[in-house]
Amino acid sequence: MEEHMEAERRLRPEDVVELNPNYHFRWEEPQQAHVLLYPEGIVKLNQTAAAILEACTGAPSIADGTAELSRRYDKRNLGAEVLKFLEVAHAKGWIRVKS
């Protein structure tokens, strides 16, 4: 029940997220892309998705990861876009909120 409740709540900038241990994030040379490998298959990520996952799953919070992306790409106001993507990644089970 608690697991289901967590999936229902929206992510917040102060949340700390990590990759689901069932997924492995890496660069695939033959695909020339970052991918998520999991027991049932592979998800090929576009550059934006890979950058968000990389920045936000290694950061102290989603807000810190977003700030890093803003600096890296010299763009402001990425918060809503980053959260929107992470919501999808969370719903698909690629990431989870660290407790």
Side-chain angles (χ1 to χ4, degrees):
M1 181 72 179
E2 226 172 276
E3 182 93 9
H4 180 70
M5 296 275 294
E6 193 214 80
E8 294 298 307
R9 101 166 165 73
R10 300 200 47 95
L11 293 177
R12 298 183 298 250
E14 62 272 15
D15 285 333
V16 179
V17 292
E18 64 185 358
L19 271 180
N20 178 326
N22 295 329
Y23 289 84
H24 182 69
F25 175 77
R26 75 171 201 211
W27 175 259
E28 280 282 301
E29 197 58 43
Q31 307 241 15
Q32 288 293 298
H34 280 94
V35 298
L36 283 175
L37 298 173
Y38 61 106
E40 296 83 34
I42 185 171
V43 178
K44 185 176 177 181
L45 301 169
N46 67 29
Q47 243 183 326
T48 304
I52 293 171
L53 282 179
E54 189 175 42
C56 292
T57 58
S61 70
I62 291 172
D64 290 319
T66 302
E68 166 58 30
L69 290 165
S70 292
R71 283 190 297 277
R72 193 184 306 170
Y73 297 104
D74 196 26
K75 290 194 186 244
R76 290 188 183 15
N77 305 324
L78 293 177
E81 289 176 65
V82 169
L83 268 177
K84 187 176 174 183
F85 171 76
L86 290 174
E87 289 280 350
V88 171
H90 188 247
K92 290 178 182 270
W94 299 348
I95 61 170
R96 63 186 187 183
V97 176
K98 265 179 135 170
S99 48

